[in-house]
Amino acid sequence: MSLVEVSGLTIDFDGVRAVDGLSFTLDEGAALGVVGESGSGKSATAYALLGLHRGTGAAVGGSVRVAGTDVLSASDAEIRALRGAKAAMVFQDPLSSLDPYQCVGDQIAEVYRVHNRASRRAARALAVTVLDRVGVPDAPRRARSRPHEFSGGMRQRALIAMALACEPELLIADEPTTALDVTVQAQILDLLHDLRHETGMGLILVTHDVGVAAESVDEILVMRDGREVEHGPVARTLSEPRAPYTRTLLSAVPRITPPDRPVPAPGPPATTAAVVAPRPRRPQAEPAGETPDRAAPLLEAVGLRKEFGRGRGRFTAVDDVSVTVEAGRTLGIVGESGSGKTTLGRMLVRLTDPTAGRRRYGGTEIGALSARGLRPHRRELQMVFQDPVASLNPRRSVGESVADPLRAAGERDEDRLRERVGGLLERVGLDAGRYDAYPHEFSGGQRQRVGIARALAAEPRLIVCDEPVSALDVTTQAQVVALLAELQRELGIGLVFIAHDLAVVQQVSHRVAVMRGGRIVEQGTVDEVYGAPGDPYTRQLLAAVPALDPAVAKARRAARRRQAGGAAASAPAPSAAAGAARVAG
């Protein structure tokens, strides 16, 4: 019996067709991955399943039936009965989906009481039960916490717990792992997989990451420009893609490649394990000291330490870190959220001063910020931030934002400013005529290009890129990575590439530093770190990278489960063992 039946679905926003004639079904207990680039209509389709376009001005046509409810013709009361009780949704950004002023447990209890007659005490007890079920440790205590007291991965677990409160028949997850580091992502995917098999619920997973879909679903629906491009079993679709667009999408997926293995020529895959040819990596740098005529390092950091807070609340974000960045080379910095990557990057470009340690730029010691906040070498050391929406002023045109470094350098001629900014926009692949456009008029990838153009305006010698592709779809991600490589070749700039995506870091870096708990646990050339990782934590990170082969994904999931079981068996007390197993996913 079909849990979801969609036929000829169309969705129009102000005359723009976002979804065009889409049809698919989902059986009870099955899992479907909806994959495509940003703007392909994935999320619009997911929202239509719960009638979330009602009252937005969107025109929805076709037929949508979910758990026996005709969504398009149902009354408001019938839609309310559908949402939460029969079908639930986990949204992309858990922080914006949760009330910041209300305890997480109370929010879950409220959802339960909307659909069930229950006392507040019973509903709160249910909230603790589902939080425990999704692996939130010490659930009775954490149920009283507010969203800001949870990590990103724990907030996502809380949203899943809220969705499970009424035991729905269908769970819709819209980009549930976007911007999560690989280990937390693996935990969330394992959780969804286990919950589906325990409860028998159906799953629709909306994602731009093909590797995430391969880990979690039975079938894949590939979308482009609101239409279906390809639909079939996950193993067949990933190993033998029939549509050219699917092959293009797969070829853009970053993946871990064994060091020194020749990159195969592009073409159809021969086996399931090699879905498509990986994108070629840039030539790797020689280990430091092996080239006699190598120039002096561009930037050196020795023993950097950064502490925040005071008294009992004082904590160390970065502890005794030493790195070197060379002109024309890229240092990749990887690690989980909270490992100190961003704090280190901000210290390297002097946006933050270290509590201890030294920094040398071009062989010259650079000290702390002046009392007025001035920072020498501010033009040579630039940063591209993770969130281009937050780093661009929404009330100013992108041209004005890019022009800021030029004005700071003394340029006052407006005609010359426009000419130079136009050249910078063209250099990063944007239209020079969009000087007067505002950030909201650009896609995510285009806004990231604007951020790169602004960094280039200062004519820097070193750029720190903080998670520059974490929330972009794979094709846009590939374009931004290729742009950075091209600019490095042309300008000889040094790059520090901070990311939690190990596959992307492998593609762009010459050397890699792995951070955990504010320290570097491993550092070396890409071939050394990826080919023969010496630290167990590095091996754990590499094992958590999504695999495009469902068979490999299944084997890795089983290995993680065994590892979690081993951790539980060796724990000193039953409660600690249960918490360790749940945290491991």
Side-chain angles (χ1 to χ4, degrees):
M1 179 179 178
S2 293
L3 178 62
V4 177
E5 299 177 19
V6 175
S7 178
L9 177 64
T10 60
I11 304 175
D12 295 276
F13 297 98
D14 295 325
V16 177
R17 180 144 291 187
V19 178
D20 190 6
L22 187 67
S23 300
F24 65 89
T25 62
L26 179 74
D27 293 336
E28 294 180 353
L32 172 69
V34 183
V35 177
E37 299 172 274
S38 299
S40 63
K42 309 185 303 296
S43 292
T45 299
Y47 293 170
L49 299 180
L50 293 180
L52 293 175
H53 293 305
R54 291 191 174 199
T56 66
V60 183
S63 173
V64 178
R65 294 187 66 85
V66 176
T69 300
D70 187 334
V71 176
L72 302 188
S73 64
S75 66
D76 289 345
E78 289 172 327
I79 289 296
R80 285 195 297 271
L82 170 69
R83 296 173 184 168
K86 295 182 180 179
M89 191 164 188
V90 176
F91 294 93
Q92 178 174 349
D93 183 4
L95 194 56
S96 64
S97 302
L98 294 167
D99 186 336
Y101 300 105
Q102 192 176 14
C103 296
V104 169
D106 288 345
Q107 296 184 57
I108 297 173
E110 182 179 351
V111 170
Y112 183 72
R113 295 190 73 210
V114 166
H115 296 282
N116 299 274
R117 290 185 177 181
S119 66
R120 293 182 185 276
R121 176 175 293 184
R124 286 171 178 162
L126 182 279
V128 171
T129 298
V130 292
L131 283 171
D132 182 76
R133 186 180 191 180
V134 300
V136 173
D138 196 7
R141 180 179 65 85
R142 298 311 301 270
R144 299 190 296 271
S145 301
R146 288 174 172 78
H148 73 273
E149 299 177 85
F150 280 60
S151 67
M154 283 300 163
R155 282 194 291 264
Q156 198 62 277
R157 288 174 183 263
L159 268 191
I160 295 172
M162 187 179 296
L164 293 174
C166 297
E167 300 184 353
E169 300 172 43
L170 172 68
L171 181 66
I172 304 167
D174 184 17
E175 300 279 10
T177 61
T178 296
L180 297 180
D181 55 64
V182 290
T183 51
V184 177
Q185 175 178 266
Q187 292 168 15
I188 296 298
L189 294 177
D190 288 352
L191 172 62
L192 290 174
H193 177 272
D194 293 343
L195 289 171
R196 184 165 69 91
H197 286 82
E198 289 173 11
T199 65
M201 68 180 182
L203 173 67
I204 293 181
L205 178 65
V206 178
T207 180
H208 65 256
D209 190 327
V210 184
V212 166
E215 293 255 345
S216 314
V217 301
D218 308 313
E219 293 191 351
I220 283 184
L221 169 62
V222 182
M223 292 186 66
R224 185 185 191 188
D225 297 331
R227 292 176 173 269
E228 174 189 315
V229 173
E230 188 162 356
H231 184 188
V234 61
R236 194 275 299 160
T237 304
L238 296 183
S239 62
E240 300 174 2
R242 295 169 182 172
Y245 174 72
T246 307
R247 291 194 290 271
T248 300
L249 197 65
L250 287 169
S251 68
V253 176
R255 69 209 61 192
I256 302 293
T257 55
D260 299 324
R261 174 179 290 184
V263 176
T271 66
T272 301
V275 177
V276 287
R279 290 178 293 179
R281 291 206 322 260
R282 294 188 358 227
Q284 302 303 316
E286 310 87 345
E290 289 190 8
T291 306
D293 57 352
R294 179 179 292 283
L298 183 62
L299 180 69
E300 294 176 279
V302 181
L304 291 188
R305 179 183 177 87
K306 181 63 181 179
E307 298 176 350
F308 291 100
R310 295 180 178 179
R312 293 183 178 180
R314 194 173 187 85
F315 71 97
T316 302
V318 174
D319 188 11
D320 192 24
V321 167
S322 300
V323 294
T324 298
V325 187
E326 298 165 342
R329 293 289 185 266
T330 300
L331 170 67
I333 301 177
V334 300
E336 298 174 287
S337 299
S339 62
K341 307 186 301 296
T342 295
T343 301
L344 174 60
R346 292 178 66 87
M347 287 193 289
L348 293 180
V349 297
R350 308 199 65 239
L351 288 176
T352 299
D353 277 331
T355 305
R358 304 192 314 276
R359 294 163 296 182
R360 288 191 290 268
Y361 171 69
T364 302
E365 196 91 12
I366 53 177
L369 301 177
S370 71
R372 292 185 297 166
L374 299 178
R375 54 187 182 98
H377 312 297
R378 65 178 181 177
R379 294 193 64 182
E380 296 100 319
L381 306 174
Q382 292 290 316
M383 192 163 189
V384 175
F385 297 93
Q386 176 175 358
D387 185 0
V389 176
S391 61
L392 293 172
N393 189 331
R395 296 180 176 85
R396 302 181 71 213
S397 72
V398 297
E400 289 299 308
S401 292
V402 174
D404 283 343
L406 300 175
R407 287 198 172 94
E411 182 61 70
R412 295 291 181 267
D413 188 300
E414 287 299 319
D415 291 336
R416 182 166 170 77
L417 269 175
R418 279 187 169 265
E419 180 182 350
R420 293 181 66 183
V421 169
L424 287 166
L425 292 175
E426 288 181 340
R427 177 165 236 169
V428 298
L430 298 174
D431 183 355
R434 303 196 70 183
Y435 183 104
D436 295 313
Y438 287 84
H440 73 271
E441 300 177 67
F442 292 80
S443 68
Q446 289 173 329
R447 283 192 291 260
Q448 198 58 279
R449 289 171 182 264
V450 171
I452 295 171
R454 182 174 58 182
L456 290 175
E459 299 180 353
R461 294 189 62 197
L462 181 141
I463 300 178
V464 172
C465 301
D466 184 18
E467 298 278 10
V469 297
S470 64
L472 303 179
D473 58 61
V474 288
T475 50
T476 306
Q477 188 180 87
Q479 293 165 8
V480 172
V481 166
L483 170 64
L484 290 170
E486 179 184 348
L487 292 171
Q488 186 175 61
R489 286 193 299 268
E490 289 181 6
L491 305 175
I493 55 179
L495 287 176
V496 177
F497 195 96
I498 298 171
H500 62 254
D501 190 324
L502 279 78
V504 173
V505 169
Q506 185 189 33
Q507 288 178 346
V508 304
S509 303
H510 299 92
R511 294 184 62 83
V512 176
V514 182
M515 291 193 70
R516 186 184 193 187
R519 289 178 170 268
I520 290 180
V521 298
E522 188 157 2
Q523 185 172 188
T525 66
V526 167
D527 285 352
E528 290 169 349
V529 173
Y530 283 75
D535 191 89
Y537 177 67
T538 308
R539 294 195 291 271
Q540 179 185 346
L541 287 178
L542 291 170
V545 176
L548 282 177
D549 184 345
V552 174
K554 182 178 180 180
R556 288 183 177 178
R557 183 182 298 112
R560 288 193 293 266
R561 189 175 287 110
R562 288 194 300 271
Q563 183 179 8
S570 60
S575 58
R582 288 194 296 270
V583 171

